[in-house]
Amino acid sequence: MIVLLSKRAKRDIVRELRRYPKTETGGILIGCRIGRLMLVVAATSSGKNSRHEQCRFEMDMESAAEEVNAMLDRHRAIGCRVLGIWHKHNNEYNLFSYDDRETNAAYAKLNDFGAVSVLITKRGEKDVLNCYHISYNVAADTTGERLLYSIIMR
């Protein structure tokens, strides 16, 4: 699986990171699949009434759903759908928590190809974008995660 984030998707994520520099935050990834390529064209904010804490984040699903629907309406012509999620840890811990894994599994079950999960971590003062593919095995009802790449964000 190959995952590309558009400039707009990166800009959307950076905007949200700047809004919540000291706490966790996140959103939903919108894009399309073309064979083995998943192109992320946009990323939502966390929503108006989300809870942001230093080590925990809860998305406002109602306002996030409104934002997702507006983005899907704009990008429907190219076959966009929800591809997965993104969120930030405030440390260098680039492994998923139990709650993270549960959320990843829920999104992986939405598509036959699984989901994209972007985890932003810290390396010193810099943000690191870690992109994962989350697979789902229907027969065994299990998920797997594979790190595709990590890049230092500006």
Side-chain angles (χ1 to χ4, degrees), residues 97-108:
S97 68
Y98 175 81
D99 288 343
D100 295 342
R101 284 194 169 96
E102 291 292 308
T103 303
N104 283 339
Y107 280 88

Side-chain angles (χ1 to χ4, degrees), residues 13-27:
I13 290 170
V14 167
R15 183 180 322 119
E16 186 74 359
L17 293 175
R18 287 183 180 148
R19 283 180 60 204
Y20 299 99
K22 305 266 188 227
T23 60
E24 288 198 6
T25 191

Side-chain angles (χ1 to χ4, degrees), residues 60-120:
D60 173 6
M61 294 308 290
E62 187 174 323
S63 65
E66 291 173 10
E67 196 174 351
V68 165
N69 288 333
M71 287 181 173
L72 289 175
D73 286 345
R74 281 194 303 269
H75 297 95
R76 196 165 311 278
I78 59 171
C80 284
R81 57 180 141 181
V82 172
L83 292 181
I85 59 167
W86 74 272
H87 79 286
K88 177 183 88 163
H89 285 175
N90 282 321
N91 52 38
E92 294 182 11
Y93 187 66
N94 70 340
L95 300 174
F96 295 114
S97 68
Y98 175 81
D99 288 343
D100 295 342
R101 284 194 169 96
E102 291 292 308
T103 303
N104 283 339
Y107 280 88
K109 291 175 184 179
L110 296 177
N111 297 307
D112 61 342
F113 52 83
V116 175
S117 186
V118 169
L119 177 60
I120 309 294

